[in-house]
Amino acid sequence: MKFSFRPNEGAFYELFTRAAQNLVRGTELLNELALPDVEVQSVSERLTEVEHDSDKITHELYKKINSTFVTPFDREDIYRLGSLLDDVMDHLEAVGNLLYLYGLTKLPSLPREMHELVHVLDQQAKLTAEAMPRLKSMKDLEDYWIEINRLENDGDQAYRMLLVRLFSGEYDALTVLKMKEVADELEAACDSFEHVANTVETIAVKES
Amino acid sequence: MKFSFRPNEGAFYELFTRAAQNLVRGTELLNELALPDVEVQSVSERLTEVEHDSDKITHELYKKINSTFVTPFDREDIYRLGSLLDDVMDHLEAVGNLLYLYGLTKLPSLPREMHELVHVLDQQAKLTAEAMPRLKSMKDLEDYWIEINRLENDGDQAYRMLLVRLFSGEYDALTVLKMKEVADELEAACDSFEHVANTVETIAVKES
Amino acid sequence: MKFSFRPNEGAFYELFTRAAQNLVRGTELLNELALPDVEVQSVSERLTEVEHDSDKITHELYKKINSTFVTPFDREDIYRLGSLLDDVMDHLEAVGNLLYLYGLTKLPSLPREMHELVHVLDQQAKLTAEAMPRLKSMKDLEDYWIEINRLENDGDQAYRMLLVRLFSGEYDALTVLKMKEVADELEAACDSFEHVANTVETIAVKES
């Protein structure tokens, strides 16, 4: 019989992994928005479903923290990591939702820099989903957080260039304001991935 | 003679409660802004007074942390909770101040969604003021944080609909920009109430 | 022979001090932008260089945390303080970069309130650089954080007055949007200095 001193710890890693896999589903849905003849309302609704699923995972995680005697690492860090993964999902959902609500997809095309930002998010989501199971061993995580930070810099650059374009006079003021809201959510998602990675780094520093 | 192992702890709960009661005074003042013939400058000034009083409470709290040997829970959590309650007040004060400074109340009426947001804040403030004294027993707090989170979702929804209206073409670009600043402070206040509730939850998790 | 129980701790204070001195270099560069016939691109590039240097200091700090057995105070607090000093630099660099990217320095002059905000930042940077070496003794730090908070209030006031001017109709909507981005970075830098001071206060409270 296999004996584990920390019988419940597997469940924590599984919840983190599921939360991160939802982020991959989220960025894949955002990628669909670049396709011709996309049904924006349907993408927005599917994003909302994924977001609700993430909420459930987060609550399951919080309940598990409360009902577990020995947690794999600090309760507060588990709590924070869960809450930050949830933040990313909120921003991804907001992007799809705002694009639909503001009718922005009726424009001939969205600025190229928006697609660049979605591409950065997609890579960040995949790296995060791959890293979560490695929390168990606390090994091979350094590449993950370095790469997330590098991608966040790329995202920052794309965001700045997006604003330069938005303010160039190519669009009218109200369209600029709408796109700016979407741009801010894209950038906030990018930042949130970095916050997740920084928290993983903090945990690894403490546990090492 | 009554003996208390933690003689000072009552003072902490009292300071948290007073800080939260000030938030109720704050949202009540914002509610006055919906009344006909309201004196906006006077409301803004009274908000600033309440905000100054909150600052005093926060500093009293910090001094108490420094001068108390055994605190009812982690020093850092007391510090954080006090600072987050202070954040809410700052946002409430900003709402009144900006409405006055930008002359927005000279408009025939403010968008309905702004009043909805104020209503959400009012409910959050009351729930928070009722919850603070329960920190002592750490009991019956779960309903409080669940309800605050639910209200924050309502607030988010009202905020999004507010932006849809602002960007609809009903107002000129500069008026949109001014209202957007007010909307952002309303939404930030709503979020801050959630941060307070999340901190209470974290403390309860640790102490349980 | 001098004996130190904590042989590495001097290195931590030195890294914090170097990070804060870079912030002084940053605000001095922003001050140059007020000079007639300034080369904006050159200032922006030098700000980016200082920002890269700050990144290196932050990484050196993180490595030191990992390789040191007994740290002068909580690992997590060292981590947070380093990361917050880095945040200030990011905002200062963004100010210079956006002014250049948006071509705002081609305007006859920048609003007076922008210069006021830079002046606040300059004072905050100098106070922070002076305070960092005092972390060693944990003495005479109270004046530092009180003064930083006072300056942050001044900055807030200047920021609000800047927005009133931007929304007054003096500039066209796109110019307003561009300046608003710069204003937000200035205000965020001002806030970040306060976060640094609050963290120093938290550390001092714990260590006392």
Side-chain angles (χ1 to χ4, degrees), chain A residues 32-51:
Chain A
E32 283 189 28
L33 293 170
L35 301 177
D37 303 316
V38 64
E39 284 269 11
V40 188
Q41 183 174 2
S42 148
V43 171
S44 169
E45 283 167 5
R46 278 182 287 154
L47 265 167
T48 302
E49 278 165 32
V50 181
E51 196 263 328

Side-chain angles (χ1 to χ4, degrees), chain A residues 62 65-66 75-76 79 90 93-94 97-98 101-102 173-174 177-178 181, chain B residues 80 159-161 163-164 166-167 169 173 176-177 180 198 201-202 205-206:
Chain A
Y62 291 175
I65 299 173
N66 280 315
R75 268 158 219 277
E76 236 187 315
Y79 195 90
D90 289 348
E93 194 255 343
N97 195 252
L98 296 180
L101 278 177
Y102 297 158
L174 285 180
L177 284 171
K178 292 174 190 174
E181 288 303 300
Chain B
R80 191 187 303 166
Y159 174 76
R160 281 193 193 179
M161 286 306 126
L163 295 201
V164 168
L166 292 183
F167 300 157
V176 172
L177 285 171
K180 175 73 168 44
N198 289 347
E201 188 176 1
T202 311
V205 165
K206 275 202 222 169

Side-chain angles (χ1 to χ4, degrees), chain B residues 3-201:
Chain B
F3 174 82
S4 165
F5 177 63
R6 291 165 160 179
N8 288 301
E9 80 175 7
F12 288 103
Y13 305 122
E14 202 201 302
L15 288 167
F16 287 135
T17 303
R18 276 170 56 201
Q21 281 166 348
N22 267 354
L23 300 178
V24 176
R25 289 168 66 196
T27 57
E28 280 169 0
L29 284 165
L30 291 184
N31 261 328
E32 283 190 28
L33 293 171
L35 301 176
D37 303 316
V38 63
E39 283 270 9
V40 189
Q41 183 173 2
S42 149
V43 172
S44 169
E45 282 168 5
R46 278 182 288 154
L47 266 167
T48 302
E49 278 166 32
V50 181
E51 196 264 328
H52 285 334
D53 189 52
S54 287
D55 277 348
K56 272 186 216 151
I57 295 170
T58 312
H59 288 128
E60 217 175 304
L61 182 72
Y62 291 175
K63 260 172 66 184
K64 188 129 228 89
I65 299 174
N66 281 315
S67 64
T68 304
F69 191 63
V70 184
T71 52
F73 37 88
D74 270 9
R75 267 156 220 278
E76 237 186 314
D77 289 327
I78 296 175
Y79 196 90
R80 191 187 303 166
L81 187 54
S83 138
L84 288 170
L85 286 163
D86 201 48
D87 285 352
V88 187
M89 194 67 235
D90 288 347
H91 294 301
L92 298 180
E93 194 255 343
V95 170
N97 195 251
L98 296 180
L99 282 170
Y100 169 62
L101 278 177
Y102 297 159
L104 283 170
T105 48
K106 286 172 197 151
L107 292 171
S109 72
L110 292 172
R112 177 175 49 80
E113 294 83 359
M114 275 203 182
H115 296 299
E116 284 172 19
L117 272 163
V118 171
H119 182 60
V120 166
L121 292 173
D122 201 38
Q123 293 172 272
Q124 287 183 315
K126 279 168 187 152
L127 284 171
T128 306
E130 283 160 22
M132 287 301 112
R134 296 206 295 276
L135 279 174
K136 193 162 186 172
S137 61
M138 286 288 167
K139 275 179 190 156
D140 306 316
L141 285 164
E142 203 174 336
D143 284 356
Y144 149 69
W145 68 63
I146 289 172
E147 186 62 10
I148 291 288
N149 276 277
R150 197 192 60 72
L151 285 164
E152 196 273 335
N153 281 335
D154 283 3
D156 249 25
Q157 201 54 27
Y159 174 76
R160 281 193 193 179
M161 286 306 126
L162 175 56
L163 295 201
V164 168
R165 178 191 295 266
L166 292 183
F167 300 157
S168 66
E170 191 175 334
Y171 306 96
D172 67 284
L174 285 180
T175 303
V176 172
L177 285 171
K178 291 173 191 173
M179 287 206 184
K180 175 73 168 44
E181 288 304 299
V182 176
D184 285 351
E185 291 291 347
L186 286 167
E187 202 255 348
C190 211
D191 269 3
S192 305
F193 273 119
E194 195 185 24
H195 297 158
V196 169
N198 289 347
T199 300
V200 169
E201 188 176 1

Side-chain angles (χ1 to χ4, degrees), chain A residues 9-200:
Chain A
E9 80 174 7
F12 288 103
Y13 305 121
E14 202 201 301
L15 287 167
F16 288 135
T17 303
R18 276 170 54 203
Q21 282 165 348
N22 267 354
L23 300 178
V24 176
R25 288 168 66 198
T27 56
E28 280 169 0
L29 283 165
L30 291 183
N31 260 327
E32 283 189 28
L33 293 170
L35 301 177
D37 303 316
V38 64
E39 284 269 11
V40 188
Q41 183 174 2
S42 148
V43 171
S44 169
E45 283 167 5
R46 278 182 287 154
L47 265 167
T48 302
E49 278 165 32
V50 181
E51 196 263 328
H52 286 334
D53 190 52
S54 287
D55 277 349
K56 273 185 216 154
I57 295 171
T58 311
H59 288 129
E60 218 175 302
L61 182 73
Y62 291 175
K63 261 172 63 184
K64 190 130 228 87
I65 299 173
N66 280 315
S67 63
T68 303
F69 189 65
V70 184
T71 52
F73 36 89
D74 270 8
R75 268 158 219 277
E76 236 187 315
D77 288 327
I78 296 176
Y79 195 90
R80 189 187 306 167
L81 187 52
S83 138
L84 288 170
L85 286 163
D86 202 49
D87 285 353
V88 188
M89 193 68 234
D90 289 348
H91 294 300
L92 298 180
E93 194 255 343
V95 170
N97 195 252
L98 296 180
L99 282 170
Y100 169 61
L101 278 177
Y102 297 158
L104 283 169
T105 48
K106 287 172 196 150
L107 293 170
S109 72
L110 292 171
R112 180 174 48 80
E113 294 84 357
M114 276 203 181
H115 297 299
E116 284 173 18
L117 271 163
V118 172
H119 183 59
V120 166
L121 292 174
D122 201 39
Q123 292 171 274
Q124 286 183 315
K126 279 168 187 151
L127 284 170
T128 307
E130 284 161 22
M132 288 302 113
R134 296 205 296 275
L135 280 174
K136 192 164 187 171
S137 62
M138 285 290 167
K139 275 180 190 155
D140 306 317
L141 285 164
E142 202 174 337
D143 284 356
Y144 150 69
W145 70 62
I146 290 172
E147 185 63 9
I148 292 287
N149 277 277
R150 197 192 60 71
L151 285 164
E152 197 272 336
N153 281 334
D154 283 2
D156 249 24
Q157 201 54 27
Y159 174 75
R160 283 192 190 179
M161 287 306 128
L162 175 56
L163 294 201
V164 169
R165 177 191 296 266
L166 292 183
F167 300 156
S168 67
E170 192 175 334
Y171 307 97
D172 67 283
L174 285 180
T175 303
V176 172
L177 284 171
K178 292 174 190 174
M179 287 206 184
K180 176 72 169 42
E181 288 303 300
V182 176
D184 285 351
E185 291 290 348
L186 286 167
E187 203 255 348
C190 211
D191 268 3
S192 306
F193 273 119
E194 195 184 23
H195 298 158
V196 169
N198 289 347
T199 300
V200 169

